[in-house]
Amino acid sequence: MNRISVVIPTYNRPQYINTTVDMVLRQTHPPYEIIVVDNGTEPCQLEQDFPDTVRLYRIMSRAGAAQARNFGACMAGGEFIAFLDDDDIWEAQYLEKIQKVIDEDKPDLVVAKLDKLLNGEVLPFKNPVNTPRISGFIYQNPGYTGSSVTIRKSAFIERGGYDPRFRNGQDKEIAINFLMNGKKIVHAPEAQAIIRLHADERLTYSNNFITTARLLREKYPEMYNSYIYLKSLRQALTKPKQTPLKDKCAAALLKVCLGLMKPFYKRK
């Protein structure tokens, strides 16, 4: 049986981190270890009664989630690494169900069902069930986040970990890279991860999505041509429920440009 290490990056969330660690310790399939990587501006404090399998490391303040995850992965002793954000939730049987998929399918990356916690209610969000294809990542993220993926450590290290330039979309980018390099990705639709949606995060959705699209175009130009890039930008500008007027105008201009470009790219 492959051992699963859990890596939890944390940044200034003392109200969540101890509850999150305790939740992982209560899994029906105990993790091999829990590695908390603190990159906040204030030192993280863990409960003193946690077992020795829980380890806390403090790295450079504001290093970012990608660097924190990469550091935790390097320190992990398990063959697989299950990533979890400090404010998110796993059902009690999450690791048990992930372990079952690992044993049966021998994957390089496992992605779980992703639900959302909004105003105290758990609601359906994203549940990838089909065979993952690169085309499924072009205009959206089908549910790959820092709390719903488990990765084989050797494949993660070989790839160079998460790209720290990606503030958002890190798991989407690594999935694209794995698919392009023949790595095996499987879904675990019965394992439930739950993300907390915070109101302040939605305010920066467009900017984060636009930055991710730009970085993907730079990194994978053979996949992200000009038409796909502009279409991604238009989607980012129109996605929030309350879109500013300037974004609406930019989206309208992009729609015209895409209409002119579409016949050319269809012919290609």
Side-chain angles (χ1 to χ4, degrees):
M1 180 179 293
N2 294 289
R3 298 175 299 184
I4 302 178
S5 298
V6 176
V7 170
I8 307 174
T10 187
Y11 181 87
N12 292 356
R13 280 181 173 151
Q15 72 273 33
Y16 291 125
I17 185 60
N18 285 286
T19 301
T20 301
V21 171
D22 184 65
M23 173 199 65
V24 178
L25 288 171
R26 294 175 184 273
Q27 287 283 303
T28 57
H29 179 80
Y32 174 66
E33 63 190 344
I34 301 173
I35 299 174
V36 178
V37 185
D38 178 20
N39 75 123
T41 57
E42 297 294 331
C44 169
Q45 301 292 332
L46 294 182
E47 298 291 346
Q48 294 184 356
D49 59 350
F50 283 152
D52 292 341
T53 53
V54 179
R55 306 204 307 275
L56 170 65
Y57 296 94
R58 179 162 174 80
I59 62 172
M60 184 188 307
S61 175
R62 298 190 178 92
Q67 296 285 37
R69 291 178 182 129
N70 290 343
F71 179 89
C74 289
M75 302 303 295
E79 289 84 5
F80 280 82
I81 303 164
F83 292 98
L84 176 63
D85 285 350
D86 57 1
D87 61 333
D88 289 342
I89 302 166
W90 286 341
E91 62 162 325
Q93 294 178 310
Y94 181 87
L95 289 179
E96 180 180 341
K97 293 174 181 177
I98 294 296
Q99 183 70 64
K100 181 179 179 181
V101 171
I102 289 173
D103 293 341
E104 291 178 353
D105 297 322
K106 308 297 188 293
D108 294 299
L109 187 153
V110 183
V111 61
K113 173 185 179 183
L114 186 66
D115 289 335
K116 60 185 178 182
L117 179 63
L118 184 62
N119 299 324
E121 184 179 3
V122 177
L123 302 170
F125 190 36
K126 297 180 178 181
N127 189 8
V129 293
N130 299 320
T131 301
R133 301 182 186 278
I134 292 177
S135 58
F137 293 90
I138 291 180
Y139 299 118
Q140 62 182 349
N141 184 334
Y144 290 59
T145 76
S147 295
S148 64
V149 299
T150 300
I151 306 178
R152 185 183 298 274
K153 179 179 177 178
S154 58
F156 186 78
I157 298 298
E158 176 188 344
R159 190 267 188 208
Y162 285 110
D163 188 332
R165 295 179 300 165
F166 286 78
R167 181 177 177 182
N168 291 84
Q170 299 164 12
D171 301 277
K172 171 178 175 174
E173 189 276 325
I174 205 168
I176 291 172
N177 185 278
F178 271 30
L179 289 172
M180 293 182 72
N181 287 281
K183 302 297 185 183
K184 186 176 182 180
I185 298 178
V186 299
H187 295 148
E190 301 302 320
Q192 181 194 40
I194 304 169
I195 60 169
R196 296 179 191 265
L197 294 184
H198 304 283
D200 56 335
E201 292 176 352
R202 301 306 298 168
L203 297 176
T204 60
Y205 175 88
S206 294
N207 288 338
N208 292 337
F209 195 104
I210 289 170
T211 300
T212 299
R214 175 180 58 80
L215 290 171
L216 286 171
R217 175 164 168 76
E218 292 176 0
K219 194 161 187 176
Y220 306 108
E222 68 279 15
M223 182 176 68
Y224 275 78
N225 58 42
S226 296
Y227 180 80
I228 289 174
Y229 175 60
L230 293 179
K231 191 171 181 179
S232 297
L233 295 188
R234 181 175 181 272
Q235 177 180 336
L237 292 170
T238 57
K239 185 72 171 180
K241 292 182 178 179
Q242 296 180 338
T243 304
L245 179 60
K246 63 181 180 64
D247 287 355
K248 290 181 179 178
C249 294
L253 180 59
L254 283 172
K255 184 177 181 179
V256 173
C257 294
L258 288 166
L260 296 172
M261 296 169 65
K262 188 172 182 179
F264 172 75
Y265 280 95
K266 272 202 165 183
R267 286 196 301 270
K268 294 185 67 175

